[in-house]
Amino acid sequence: MKKQFAVIGLGNFGFYLATELFKKGHEVLGIDINPKMVQEIRDWVSRAVIADATDPQALKELELKKMDAVVICIGSILNNSILATLNVKDLGVKRVVAKAVSEAHGRILRKIGADEIYFPEKDLALTAAQRLDNPNVLDYLPFMEGYSIVQLAPPSSFTGKSLIQLDLINRLGIQVIAIKELVPENVVLIPTGHFVVKESDVLILLGPDDALNGLQET
Ligand code: ADP
């Protein structure tokens, strides 16, 4: 369903976020104080305007209240990030999301009422560390303390074996949630024990981090 988003601050993060949401078919308003940034994004979003988000009046005129979400992507100038978030909150926007560059920045944004906080650098660093540590891990989502969901390219010791033979659940406490087959493209949700793993499959697993980390080529 088509949604309406506003993205404030069109630096690296804001630019990619706004243009990607627009590519996905949503209505996107891009806002930046710097005319150059607004000019650059103009053809890639629904509308782009020059405005100072620290000025409540300027934001009021943009009718942000009707948006499904407003994302504040100002990182480097802390003062502006905080004031912009406060202003957007004061307008009564239903979902206020803000980018933080540090834990302290995130704590402040949460205190002033941001509904969600993104830590892009920290999140990417964790994913990058996970991939470097275990090249079989294609994607990784922390699930709860000590547990993750990973997309895994099966180590060669897995291929040609059935899930019963691998017995990941009893040996390692790892649940196979789904398997993506590439040829032909198909997703098998909660596969049965008879599923035989192919080299080209991608396994989606939920389990303890230690056990997941152990699943790699040796
Ligand atoms: P990134 O690391 O994602 O590039 P930056 O913090 O460097 O993030 O970029 C933030 C963007 O926010 C810049 O394009 C800057 O012009 C814009 N910005 C900064 N202050 C304001 C403000 N008061 N109102 C609107 N946009 C702002």
Side-chain angles (χ1 to χ4, degrees):
M1 218 182 75
K2 190 168 173 161
K3 293 185 180 154
Q4 288 182 301
F5 295 108
V7 175
I8 302 179
L10 305 170
N12 283 319
F13 184 81
F15 181 91
Y16 287 117
L17 180 71
T19 53
E20 197 59 29
L21 285 170
F22 183 66
K23 273 191 218 158
K24 288 184 188 296
H26 300 295
E27 206 177 304
V28 179
L29 167 65
I31 302 165
D32 203 291
I33 196 171
N34 182 343
K36 197 172 138 259
M37 308 307 249
V38 173
Q39 179 65 30
E40 266 174 26
I41 207 167
R42 256 176 58 186
D43 295 338
W44 310 100
V45 291
S46 319
R47 194 155 76 97
V49 296
I50 305 165
D52 179 357
T54 63
D55 174 3
Q57 193 53 39
L59 288 186
K60 209 166 178 183
E61 284 161 18
L62 295 171
E63 298 188 323
L64 299 182
K65 198 171 180 317
K66 64 175 189 193
M67 299 287 170
D68 292 289
V70 176
V71 190
I72 297 110
C73 306
I74 305 173
S76 38
I77 314 170
L78 202 65
N79 205 25
N80 291 8
S81 156
I82 293 167
L83 272 176
T85 306
L86 256 182
N87 288 341
V88 172
K89 258 324 265 190
D90 283 350
L91 290 173
V93 173
K94 43 182 174 288
R95 189 171 172 202
V96 179
V97 185
K99 167 186 117 157
V101 293
S102 66
E103 292 289 339
H105 186 186
R107 282 218 311 276
I108 296 170
L109 294 174
R110 197 171 295 284
K111 270 261 152 62
I112 59 178
D115 302 298
E116 281 164 69
I117 320 266
Y118 295 156
F119 295 91
E121 300 213 319
K122 178 181 156 196
D123 290 348
L124 180 61
L126 295 184
T127 306
Q130 182 69 39
R131 274 194 211 166
L132 291 165
D133 178 51
N134 183 348
N136 285 77
V137 171
L138 307 174
D139 207 354
Y140 146 91
L141 177 73
F143 180 66
M144 51 183 272
E145 192 61 35
Y147 289 81
S148 300
I149 294 173
V150 301
Q151 291 203 36
L152 188 90
S156 46
S157 59
F158 279 33
T159 54
K161 296 212 174 100
S162 68
L163 295 182
I164 291 181
Q165 285 173 305
L166 291 172
D167 200 18
L168 297 178
I169 190 74
N170 290 314
R171 285 195 304 119
L172 302 164
I174 292 173
Q175 179 71 51
V176 182
I177 310 174
I179 296 184
K180 281 202 248 180
E181 297 183 288
L182 292 186
V183 269
E185 226 171 272
N186 182 37
V187 174
V188 185
L189 283 176
I190 322 284
T192 68
H194 302 294
F195 189 99
V196 176
V197 177
K198 301 177 287 305
E199 196 186 342
S200 56
D201 292 336
V202 174
L203 312 182
I204 294 138
L205 310 173
L206 166 64
D209 291 333
D210 290 350
L212 292 168
N213 281 334
L215 300 179
Q216 57 181 306
E217 302 293 346
T218 44

